[in-house]
Amino acid sequence: MYKVKIIVVCGSGVATSMHAAYKLREYFDKEKIPVIIDGGGNNELAGRAAAYDIIVSNTMVTMKTDKPVFSAIPLLTGFGEKELAAKIIEAARKIIAEKDKAN
Amino acid sequence: MAIDEGNILVKARAESAEEIIRRLGGLLYQNGYVKDSFTQAVLDREVIYPTGLQTQLLGFAIPHTDTEHVNRPAVAVATLEGTVDFRAMDNPEVRVPVSIVMMLAISDPKSVVNVLRKVISILENEPALRGLAAASSPQEVREIIFEHIKSLADKISTDGSEGMAH
């Protein structure tokens, strides 16, 4: 099974992205979906995005990308968190299906 | 990560986000937790990466900045009489009327990640937020944050490397 790669970014990569990344990982673990989740700073995103399948961000993503982008704010406030996690997992499942089919 | 009563303001009156950031930054500096460059660095970062968050209950802000401006990790808190506008983390064009400001002084993210996560997760704890908003003393604010952290002891694992000053 393809291992989906997700990058979670915030302003500096110091505080909120780490928290959001941990929480997101818990949802993937619960669904037993293998995943790589890394945290980072917004300024690294343009350089690193190519290596990931899904972008989750606490800040506004202004760079152009064809990858799915999600706001990480619900993972911080808890408000709409389950819905967000479900959407990200759905996107991940779609990517896994496509990649596994291609192999 | 220190939660020091000397870094807590209760029912503070402030006209702007900048004013309350300056006051909290001033306390952290006076108490030796940050360098004199900290407050300006927080203000500068707030322009590029704002930290206002609308929780279900109230507006909350977590101003912070790069680790180089910090001596020792700490949290400074202000509960406000009324609100000041912060810009929203996910959209700088949106203003969030904030009534609780939690300023984070982070020196070594890896060593404090667990306690930092616990502190940040207070955003999801409605009773704790209600308690903070109603608190009438720095001691009370500190107690509520500790109670919240304690309640998470099992949920967010600690690896023993973090230091939390009581």
Side-chain angles (χ1 to χ4, degrees):
Chain A
M1 191 155 130
Y2 177 75
K3 212 169 191 178
V4 178
K5 297 178 204 67
I6 301 177
I7 185 161
V8 182
V9 294
C10 66
S12 53
V14 167
T16 56
S17 62
M18 277 202 269
H19 181 53
Y22 271 98
K23 288 189 74 180
L24 187 58
R25 172 174 296 283
E26 286 168 9
Y27 281 95
F28 275 82
D29 287 351
K30 222 181 280 171
E31 299 287 326
K32 299 195 166 56
I33 301 171
V35 67
I36 294 167
I37 302 181
D38 292 329
N42 185 280
N43 56 351
E44 307 161 34
L45 185 59
R48 292 176 64 185
Y52 294 87
D53 301 302
I54 296 173
I55 298 162
V56 181
S57 179
N58 284 331
T59 60
M60 207 180 217
V61 174
T62 47
M63 62 168 269
K64 281 210 176 99
T65 174
D66 52 1
K67 302 183 189 231
V69 178
F70 297 92
S71 163
I73 301 293
L75 290 164
L76 298 181
T77 63
F79 189 26
E81 179 182 306
K82 286 198 177 106
E83 294 80 357
L84 171 73
K87 276 190 210 156
I88 296 175
I89 283 172
E90 191 193 322
R93 286 210 162 104
K94 222 171 113 190
I95 290 163
I96 293 166
E98 279 166 14
K99 296 274 184 182
D100 284 351
K101 213 165 115 189
N103 285 329
Chain B
M1 191 151 204
I3 303 168
D4 179 336
E5 279 162 28
N7 298 326
I8 297 175
L9 298 170
V10 168
K11 299 196 190 291
R13 287 173 196 275
E15 295 288 321
S16 65
E18 175 172 347
E19 184 186 337
I20 199 66
I21 286 172
R22 284 194 187 282
R23 285 175 65 187
L24 287 176
L27 291 176
L28 286 168
Y29 175 61
Q30 268 172 35
N31 295 322
Y33 291 100
V34 300
K35 303 188 173 118
D36 60 357
S37 57
F38 178 81
T39 299
Q40 192 56 49
V42 172
L43 289 169
D44 291 346
R45 186 185 184 279
E46 200 65 32
V47 174
I48 309 166
Y49 298 121
T51 63
L53 288 161
Q54 185 64 53
T55 74
Q56 239 164 326
L57 193 65
L58 44 75
F60 203 102
I62 49 166
H64 56 279
T65 190
D66 297 329
T67 55
E68 68 199 67
H69 306 286
V70 176
N71 298 325
R72 285 184 290 149
V75 179
V77 185
T79 66
L80 298 175
E81 191 76 63
T83 60
V84 295
D85 279 358
F86 274 73
R87 290 177 309 126
M89 192 180 275
D90 55 344
N91 185 351
E93 282 170 26
V94 172
R95 287 181 186 274
V96 181
V98 163
S99 50
I100 302 177
V101 180
M102 193 176 254
M103 184 179 265
L104 310 171
I106 304 159
S107 56
D108 176 8
K110 282 212 170 66
S111 71
V112 295
V113 62
N114 283 316
V115 69
L116 188 61
R117 290 191 56 213
K118 288 175 186 168
V119 170
I120 292 175
S121 69
I122 204 164
L123 287 165
E124 299 170 54
N125 184 340
E126 261 188 58
L129 291 183
R130 256 182 248 281
L132 287 179
S136 54
S137 69
Q139 293 88 322
E140 214 178 316
V141 167
R142 187 170 173 275
E143 285 293 309
I144 291 165
I145 296 171
F146 269 118
E147 278 306 311
H148 165 74
I149 289 172
K150 249 200 281 177
S151 74
L152 293 173
D154 302 329
K155 285 193 185 157
I156 295 176
S157 65
T158 52
D159 58 12
S161 65
E162 71 192 64
M164 189 162 71
H166 285 255

